[in-house]
Amino acid sequence: MALFDLPLGELRAYRSRSTAPEDFDTFWDKTLQQAREHELDARFEPVETGLATVDVYDVTFAGFDGHPVKGWLRLPAGATEPLPLVVEFIGYGGGRGLPHENLLWASTGRAHFAMDTRGQGSAWGGGGGTPDPVGAAPAYPGFMTRGIDAPENYYYRRVFTDAVRAVEAARSHPLTDAARTAVTGGSQGGGIALAVGGLVPDLVAVAPDVPFLCDFPRAAVLTDRHPYREIGLFLKTHRGRSADVLRTLSYFDGVHFAARGRAPALFSAALEDQTCPPSTVFAAFNAWAHEDKAIEVYDFNDHEGGGPFQEAAQVRWLGSYA
């Protein structure tokens, strides 16, 4: 796919027309307050993996509405002092995988917490183990329109709440240093990282890689690739509901979380990315509130973005912060 979005010079100046609801902060403050009425109850069970350099713990904690959420905590083997912490969120359709996967961050000498995404984990990778016990109104197959009838019911309200609680769970382990916590993720994971970056005030770094869930008004009409296309296909059947759908999505738009970002950030964008179009990524990057921010741009890449090149960039960059 050749270039299809705005030229790079225009991307660097692009601003989303998405408007944050007046009660955006109140909505999220209330949501997190309700979640914290449940005990976090973070449990860490050692897992025998056969690995010599990494210790792995099977984690369960209370997420949205106290629902049990799974994760892996990976630590450099034999760690005895609190370590800088990287909390990672997973791409669309994937789960936390198997305990021996995803060893990059623990190999850098950091604690690494990977959160399972509720209801997902059956499309690729090593699977997931966290159900989503909440029902929903009629929706298009996938996750993008589940509960889209109202912000209170929307699927990503639960996911973003889980993610904030995942940071709290990871920080509760005695071998993690809460004061040196960074969050990251690719695609959907990048969108979740953006949300956490806007909701958790004391992170040291945020690294969203080709982030999804940004600039919904543009994304829904610019690309016909899934998952954004799920929104259009829902509206193809539910005619006349565009305004209501966009209102719900405005509470979950990465652009609005970015405007509340209070930590240094490293983004990435791929200029041929039809899954997360570059203008939607730049919309969040340009809105990011903290002045210490950078974006890696991959001119001829689709949604794979920089792949291992971006991982290397993240490792170098994070060394300055955690």
Side-chain angles (χ1 to χ4, degrees), residues 10-136:
E10 294 182 26
L11 290 172
R12 295 194 184 280
Y14 172 72
R15 293 283 179 168
S16 172
R17 65 180 179 86
S18 179
T19 302
E22 291 184 0
D23 65 341
F24 182 92
D25 294 310
T26 301
F27 174 85
W28 281 106
D29 288 345
K30 182 178 179 180
T31 294
L32 296 179
Q33 180 182 356
Q34 290 173 344
R36 290 176 178 133
E37 291 173 359
H38 301 272
E39 292 293 331
L40 183 61
D41 191 27
R43 288 163 282 154
F44 302 85
E45 301 293 335
V47 178
E48 178 54 53
T49 62
L51 300 174
T53 60
V54 177
D55 294 330
V56 183
Y57 295 83
D58 184 357
V59 185
T60 308
F61 65 94
F64 178 88
D65 203 27
H67 301 155
V69 179
K70 301 295 289 184
W72 298 121
L73 177 65
R74 298 179 176 93
L75 302 171
T80 58
E81 300 293 333
L83 301 169
L85 170 65
V86 175
V87 180
E88 184 173 8
F89 308 107
I90 309 301
Y92 195 83
R96 64 174 180 162
L98 301 175
H100 65 271
E101 297 183 88
N102 200 355
L103 304 180
L104 172 65
W105 290 111
S107 299
T108 68
R110 297 174 174 86
H112 174 229
F113 187 96
M115 185 192 84
D116 209 19
T117 309
R118 62 168 58 222
Q120 299 190 31
S122 297
W124 56 270
T130 302
D132 182 16
V134 179

Side-chain angles (χ1 to χ4, degrees), residues 119-183:
Q120 299 190 31
S122 297
W124 56 270
T130 302
D132 182 16
V134 179
Y140 185 83
F143 302 94
M144 291 300 296
T145 63
R146 292 190 182 185
I148 206 165
D149 56 302
E152 294 77 12
N153 300 333
Y154 192 48
Y155 170 75
Y156 282 101
R157 181 180 182 229
R158 302 189 290 279
V159 173
F160 291 173
T161 302
D162 292 346
V164 171
R165 298 286 273 172
V167 171
E168 296 170 358
R171 283 174 157 178
S172 74
H173 192 278
L175 291 179
T176 66
D177 184 350
R180 293 183 288 170
T181 302
V183 297

Side-chain angles (χ1 to χ4, degrees), residues 5-20 214-219 222 253-261 267 277-291 293:
D5 206 340
L6 301 173
L8 183 56
E10 294 182 26
L11 290 172
R12 295 194 184 280
Y14 172 72
R15 293 283 179 168
S16 172
R17 65 180 179 86
S18 179
T19 302
C214 297
D215 196 7
F216 287 113
R218 181 170 175 82
L222 180 61
D253 197 320
V255 171
H256 307 320
F257 292 110
R260 292 155 174 80
F267 285 66
S279 58
T280 68
V281 175
F282 271 91
F285 174 74
N286 292 334
W288 189 260
H290 197 283
E291 63 182 12
K293 61 183 180 180

